[in-house]
CSV table of all heavy atoms in Angstrom, one decimal:
chain,number,residue,atom,x,y,z
X,300,VAL,N,25.2,-9.3,15.1
X,300,VAL,CA,25.8,-10.5,14.7
X,300,VAL,C,27.2,-10.5,15.2
X,300,VAL,O,27.7,-11.6,15.9
X,300,VAL,CB,25.8,-10.8,13.2
X,300,VAL,CG1,26.8,-11.9,12.9
X,300,VAL,CG2,24.5,-11.1,12.6
X,301,THR,N,28.0,-9.5,15.2
X,301,THR,CA,29.3,-9.3,15.7
X,301,THR,C,29.3,-9.5,17.2
X,301,THR,O,30.1,-10.3,17.8
X,301,THR,CB,29.9,-7.9,15.3
X,301,THR,OG1,29.7,-7.7,13.9
X,301,THR,CG2,31.4,-7.8,15.7
X,302,ALA,N,28.3,-8.8,17.8
X,302,ALA,CA,28.2,-9.0,19.3
X,302,ALA,C,28.0,-10.4,19.8
X,302,ALA,O,28.6,-10.9,20.7
X,302,ALA,CB,27.1,-8.1,19.8
X,303,ILE,N,27.2,-11.2,18.9
X,303,ILE,CA,26.8,-12.5,19.3
X,303,ILE,C,28.0,-13.4,19.0
X,303,ILE,O,28.4,-14.3,20.0
X,303,ILE,CB,25.7,-13.0,18.5
X,303,ILE,CG1,24.4,-12.4,19.2
X,303,ILE,CG2,25.6,-14.6,18.5
X,303,ILE,CD1,23.1,-12.6,18.3
X,304,VAL,N,28.7,-13.2,17.9
X,304,VAL,CA,30.0,-14.1,17.7
X,304,VAL,C,31.0,-13.8,18.8
X,304,VAL,O,31.6,-14.7,19.4
X,304,VAL,CB,30.6,-13.5,16.3
X,304,VAL,CG1,32.0,-14.1,16.1
X,304,VAL,CG2,29.7,-14.1,15.2
X,305,ILE,N,31.2,-12.5,19.2
X,305,ILE,CA,32.1,-12.2,20.3
X,305,ILE,C,31.7,-12.8,21.6
X,305,ILE,O,32.4,-13.4,22.4
X,305,ILE,CB,32.4,-10.7,20.4
X,305,ILE,CG1,33.1,-10.1,19.3
X,305,ILE,CG2,33.1,-10.3,21.7
X,305,ILE,CD1,33.2,-8.6,19.2
X,306,GLY,N,30.4,-12.8,21.8
X,306,GLY,CA,29.9,-13.4,23.1
X,306,GLY,C,30.0,-14.9,23.1
X,306,GLY,O,30.4,-15.4,24.1
X,307,VAL,N,29.8,-15.6,22.0
X,307,VAL,CA,30.0,-16.9,21.9
X,307,VAL,C,31.5,-17.3,22.1
X,307,VAL,O,31.7,-18.3,22.8
X,307,VAL,CB,29.5,-17.5,20.5
X,307,VAL,CG1,29.9,-18.9,20.2
X,307,VAL,CG2,27.9,-17.4,20.5
X,308,MET,N,32.3,-16.6,21.4
X,308,MET,CA,33.7,-16.8,21.6
X,308,MET,C,34.1,-16.6,23.1
X,308,MET,O,34.8,-17.5,23.6
X,308,MET,CB,34.6,-15.8,20.7
X,308,MET,CG,34.6,-16.4,19.4
X,308,MET,SD,35.2,-15.1,18.2
X,308,MET,CE,36.8,-14.8,18.8
X,309,CYS,N,33.7,-15.6,23.7
X,309,CYS,CA,34.0,-15.4,25.1
X,309,CYS,C,33.5,-16.5,26.0
X,309,CYS,O,34.1,-17.1,26.8
X,309,CYS,CB,33.3,-14.1,25.6
X,309,CYS,SG,34.2,-12.7,25.0
X,310,GLY,N,32.2,-17.0,25.6
X,310,GLY,CA,31.7,-18.0,26.4
X,310,GLY,C,32.4,-19.3,26.2
X,310,GLY,O,32.7,-20.1,27.1
Side-chain angles (χ1 to χ4, degrees):
V300 168
T301 310
I303 285 168
V304 166
I305 290 170
V307 166
M308 278 163 64
C309 289

